[in-house]
Amino acid sequence: MAAAPSAPSLNASSAAVSSVSQAHSVLALADELGAAQGGGVHVHPLVLFNVCDSFIRRSESSTRVIGTLLGTVSGGGSRVEVTNSYAVPHEEQAGSVSLDVDFHRTMLQLHQKVHPNEGVVGWYSTGLGVKVGDVLLHDFYARETPGAGAGGAQASAADGSGAAPATAAAVPQQSSSLPIHLTVDTGLTNGRMDVSAYVSSKLDVGESAPVGTQFTEVECMVTMDEAERIGPQLLSDAQTNKLPGEAEGLASSVSKLQSVVSTAVRYVEQVVNGETPADAATGRRLAEAVRSVPTSATLDFESAFQDNVQDVLMIEYLAKLTQTHMALADRLNKFSLPI
Amino acid sequence: MASSQQQQQQKMGAWGKPRETSQAQAPLQSVQIDGRAVLKIIRHCAAFTPTPVTGELLGLDIGSTLEITDCFPFPTESHEQGSKNNDSDSVSADYQISMMHCLREINVDNNMVGMYMSSYLGSYQTEALIETFLSYQESLSRCVCIIHDPTSVAERGVLSLKALRLSDAFVAFYKNNTFTTEQIHKAGLQLDSIFEEIPLHVHNSALVSALMSTLAPAPELMSNADSDRLNLDASAQLEKNVEFLIDNLDDLSREAAVINQWQRQNMRNNQARMAFLAKRRAENAARRAAGEEPLPEDDGPMGRGSGPEPTRLSAYLIANEMNTFCNGIHSLTSGTLKKLSLASYLHGPSAENK
């Protein structure tokens, strides 16, 4: 990060970067406002996979990749779901950034043909933290983002509405948290791939025009539910030769259940023995979980259970019978006749 | 629903430029797909369930492995109607071309290698799919179709992803023959020889592995997928499967009725012709005895028979689909039985205590 000594360094502890040519300053502040945003940014794993892939496929000359984030906004603009993304070609030279705007618009149109309810919610770049040129990019995306709110793009709201008529309906809510700037540390600077999200706000000093843009880190969560359904193993191993079948999934789920139950049992025992202080909330939850198991008379359960087993076996038998019939018809080449 | 799927599939085939891949090729042995493409396919299919969706697969064809590194979705019909209405074929071709063009700019492999589609409980074996396949194979020597069943992931926590292609024997047969009982018999075409399943491998880049190791949740925690897998009640899905099976059975018997009628008609015609010929012969013998010129012994008015035999292809496909449903039922019932026996053990001791 090319940090230059800068005049509007408001907070001594924060890293202040100023770019003279742009008459803007970027302040990457440790967050305090993050909590006030509420809801936060929820990133789907596909977005991060896209970022990784486009980083691998970046052109030889570029050191990082930037792109557009697509998604939806809910909860009055407090909750931002980032569901999709695409890379946008760009050129970067000392202090200036040029983005292929046509590409961005074309790609946006194409995406919205398939997912019309997804709009631009921000942009991403690889690397750690906010960099010098990012203010310009952020301003551009503030214009591209429909419903970008008070903090980000007051000044550019007028031309913003004209620039993206197609997307105007997509994200109707006014939101102060748009656009989002997502950084993914593909360089693994801290030994891990950090994903963070920022929003910006204009810095005002008294009466004068804004002197800079302040980037504030907001809460950023990766919603793993989707990936978990597919199997995290499948998405993290370099090579999987066999897709996980039903039996394997069941086995792993049962063993997970077992470990969760034994953890709960161990906890209860520890509390009973006085080794761990009792926690009322946890106790209530446990009691609820135990209560949710239906208690039924043995006979009722027995008959219901047997009925279910019989049903399943019956269907299984019928299916086998059908298959046998068809196999016979096939081998005898009698498909012309009713089976 | 079915007709829109058909249209979509035909549309998919509308665009495809021939490529020069003339070198002799090793047979396709495996398909390697990127985790990212899997995610994209699943997301696209899940977003539109139960509407069937399709998309295009992009990647590289290397030796005996087909690598799928990316994909993009095709817009569904209803969204397109909002824009240009006149020619949906050209609209979708435009979409395809500009998407490929854009992807090339960000260095994505922009070679078509096939398509993907969502299917509900395995109902994908249609004539439309075969036509699409053939139109793809005109421009691509090797292409696959990835079939994904979104309900299986959503309801049972089981990933259902298959790589299919048409078998060479079937393609050859399809191009040169008509689907009559006789021809099928001669070629020895069996039910399971239409589609070929190719082993599917999933591949992830090192960067993605790093990402997942950063993000991966604690492995011992229960996820939603786990609780779906442990759900004891599979009756809704079983019902659907059986319902589809019954529908297919109806279709099959309809097909059988058609062929039966044709056969009966054919037999009646043949008998009529035989009777006519016998009569003509007797007449001719009488004429010769009388020294007259004999009448020609051709088929006369009955010569045309009862038209060509109706195609048997749809019956084959229906039977194939029934097989798929039966397999689906097997996997459902075996899973359910396992879970039920587990549950009976869980309930056993507690019931005795009372």
Side-chain angles (χ1 to χ4, degrees):
Chain A
M1 197 185 277
S6 59
S9 179
L10 298 177
N11 189 333
S13 68
S14 69
V17 184
S18 98
S19 148
V20 182
S21 65
Q22 293 153 20
H24 267 303
S25 74
V26 182
L27 287 168
L29 283 179
D31 69 314
E32 274 155 37
L33 296 163
Q37 300 288 341
V41 178
H42 297 255
V43 182
H44 285 242
L46 174 62
V47 175
L48 302 175
F49 274 58
N50 279 342
V51 175
C52 287
D53 190 72
S54 57
F55 183 71
I56 293 169
R57 292 173 188 278
R58 69 191 185 276
S59 7
E60 241 174 300
S61 56
S62 54
T63 53
R64 65 168 180 164
V65 185
I66 59 182
T68 305
L69 297 175
L70 299 170
T72 53
V73 182
S74 59
S78 60
R79 184 189 164 92
V80 182
E81 294 267 349
V82 186
T83 49
N84 213 338
S85 70
Y86 55 89
V88 179
H90 76 294
E91 300 259 335
E92 218 163 348
Q93 273 143 8
S96 76
V97 185
S98 64
L99 193 74
D100 192 338
V101 177
D102 282 344
F103 180 93
H104 158 75
R105 301 229 166 104
T106 317
M107 205 61 171
L108 180 64
Q109 264 179 5
L110 293 174
H111 268 280
Q112 286 188 330
K113 271 191 185 166
V114 181
H115 298 285
N117 49 356
E118 281 178 2
V120 180
V121 293
W123 64 291
Y124 72 80
S125 75
T126 58
L128 193 64
V130 182
K131 294 205 175 54
V132 178
D134 292 356
V135 163
L136 282 179
L137 289 168
H138 201 75
D139 279 353
F140 167 73
Y141 275 102
R143 286 194 297 275
E144 290 292 307
T145 309
Q154 241 171 358
S156 50
D159 47 342
S161 61
T167 59
V171 188
Q173 293 98 336
Q174 275 287 316
S175 160
S176 61
S177 57
L178 290 180
I180 292 161
H181 175 33
L182 190 78
T183 61
V184 181
D185 183 15
T186 43
L188 307 177
T189 319
N190 298 333
R192 48 185 274 120
M193 201 177 288
D194 284 316
V195 179
S196 18
Y198 301 89
V199 295
S200 75
S201 54
K202 293 266 184 267
L203 275 188
D204 277 316
V205 181
E207 302 288 301
S208 63
V211 292
T213 306
Q214 171 178 298
F215 280 88
T216 313
E217 191 168 348
V218 289
E219 203 183 352
C220 172
M221 281 159 284
V222 181
T223 50
M224 291 299 286
D225 192 55
E226 230 175 1
E228 262 170 17
R229 283 175 181 276
I230 303 159
Q233 216 53 40
L234 196 66
L235 295 177
S236 56
D237 286 358
Q239 180 87 32
T240 311
N241 286 332
K242 194 177 169 296
L243 293 180
E246 180 148 14
E248 289 96 332
L250 186 61
S252 87
S253 290
V254 169
S255 64
K256 269 191 202 175
L257 180 66
Q258 208 170 8
S259 85
V260 168
V261 170
S262 61
T263 309
V265 169
R266 215 170 322 130
Y267 172 77
V268 170
E269 274 169 1
Q270 278 172 353
V271 172
V272 169
N273 296 339
E275 289 163 25
T276 316
D279 178 33
T282 317
R284 242 172 258 131
R285 289 244 172 96
L286 280 171
E288 239 167 69
V290 171
R291 212 179 49 222
S292 71
V293 178
T295 51
S296 54
T298 319
L299 264 180
D300 287 356
F301 173 74
E302 211 38 48
S303 71
F305 181 80
Q306 284 307 330
D307 282 356
N308 204 342
V309 172
Q310 298 292 337
D311 283 356
V312 171
L313 283 175
M314 186 68 188
I315 291 176
E316 164 93 22
Y317 169 71
L318 287 175
K320 263 267 179 290
L321 201 64
T322 316
Q323 264 185 323
T324 316
H325 257 295
M326 275 190 307
L328 267 178
D330 186 28
R331 301 293 145 183
L332 297 175
N333 230 306
K334 286 289 177 207
F335 257 107
S336 51
L337 300 173
I339 49 172
Chain B
M1 193 163 112
S3 76
S4 83
Q5 187 175 0
Q6 192 168 347
Q7 278 171 7
Q8 185 110 8
Q9 282 172 355
Q10 277 166 358
K11 215 174 59 197
M12 278 164 53
W15 185 77
K17 63 174 185 239
R19 272 162 217 288
E20 295 96 82
T21 43
S22 52
Q23 77 273 33
Q25 294 207 320
L28 186 59
Q29 260 154 22
S30 65
V31 174
Q32 179 181 307
I33 185 166
D34 258 32
R36 189 169 78 98
V38 174
L39 262 183
K40 269 185 152 179
I41 292 172
I42 287 172
R43 209 179 89 76
H44 181 216
C45 293
F48 289 94
T49 326
T51 317
V53 292
T54 52
E56 179 119 357
L57 299 172
L58 304 172
L60 296 169
D61 185 356
I62 303 169
S64 60
T65 308
L66 194 68
E67 278 184 23
I68 300 168
T69 53
D70 205 342
C71 61
F72 63 86
F74 285 122
T76 40
E77 288 293 314
S78 55
H79 298 131
E80 248 171 55
Q81 279 162 8
S83 54
K84 303 282 184 294
N85 48 5
N86 44 10
D87 194 2
S88 74
D89 264 17
S90 80
V91 169
S92 88
D94 282 352
Y95 171 83
Q96 221 170 346
I97 290 169
S98 43
M99 186 58 114
M100 297 282 260
H101 184 75
C102 281
L103 290 176
R104 184 163 51 224
E105 269 188 58
I106 48 173
N107 305 324
V108 170
D109 300 324
N110 66 335
N111 306 315
M112 279 198 312
V113 293
M115 68 209 147
Y116 69 83
M117 60 184 284
S118 66
S119 85
Y120 188 54
L121 295 176
S123 48
Y124 54 84
Q125 292 145 358
T126 56
E127 281 179 63
L129 177 63
I130 291 178
E131 306 243 313
T132 315
F133 247 122
L134 288 173
S135 74
Y136 263 81
Q137 279 182 349
E138 271 169 25
S139 49
L140 297 166
S141 54
R142 296 199 288 201
C143 77
V144 290
C145 179
I146 301 275
I147 307 273
H148 170 61
D149 182 358
T151 50
S152 154
V153 180
E155 285 168 20
R156 291 157 58 203
V158 179
L159 179 65
S160 134
L161 209 61
K162 267 189 251 183
L164 290 182
R165 69 192 297 266
L166 289 178
S167 69
D168 295 335
F170 178 78
V171 173
F173 183 82
Y174 191 90
K175 280 188 181 150
N176 303 323
N177 298 285
T178 48
F179 279 81
T180 58
T181 316
E182 197 188 337
Q183 298 265 35
I184 291 173
H185 189 63
K186 219 189 278 169
L189 199 67
Q190 299 287 351
L191 263 191
D192 47 10
S193 56
I194 297 181
F195 291 101
E196 233 172 38
E197 201 176 331
I198 304 163
L200 191 65
H201 306 309
V202 179
H203 169 264
N204 289 296
S205 64
L207 209 52
V208 163
S209 295
L211 172 77
M212 283 303 283
S213 68
T214 309
L215 297 175
E220 67 273 10
L221 289 181
M222 298 282 286
S223 64
N224 286 343
D226 287 321
S227 50
D228 282 343
R229 272 186 213 134
L230 292 172
N231 189 6
L232 277 178
D233 186 26
S235 54
Q237 292 149 41
L238 272 178
E239 242 168 63
K240 266 271 163 306
N241 256 313
V242 174
E243 198 183 307
F244 279 23
L245 196 56
I246 291 171
D247 284 352
N248 269 6
L249 212 54
D250 286 347
D251 288 347
L252 197 61
S253 62
R254 210 169 301 132
E255 287 284 327
V258 168
I259 203 79
N260 271 355
Q261 201 184 345
W262 178 81
Q263 274 177 340
R264 225 174 297 135
Q265 188 80 38
N266 206 19
M267 215 187 295
R268 215 176 296 140
N269 273 2
N270 276 345
Q271 276 170 358
R273 206 175 71 203
M274 284 310 176
F276 173 80
L277 281 179
K279 198 174 141 217
R280 177 59 58 90
R281 259 186 228 115
E283 206 176 315
N284 275 349
R287 273 167 172 266
R288 260 193 293 274
E292 282 175 49
E293 194 74 351
L295 291 167
E297 279 192 23
D298 62 357
D299 288 350
M302 305 292 186
R304 278 177 292 113
S306 50
E309 184 177 342
T311 175
R312 313 291 305 123
L313 180 60
S314 46
Y316 259 71
L317 290 173
I318 292 169
N320 248 326
E321 222 165 75
M322 284 171 67
N323 237 336
T324 315
F325 291 140
C326 286
N327 287 334
I329 291 177
H330 285 321
S331 83
L332 266 173
T333 49
S334 67
T336 312
L337 283 177
K338 274 177 213 153
K339 282 183 268 187
L340 280 174
S341 63
L342 263 176
S344 81
Y345 278 111
L346 281 178
H347 270 266
S350 73
E352 278 161 26
N353 287 345
K354 281 182 189 164

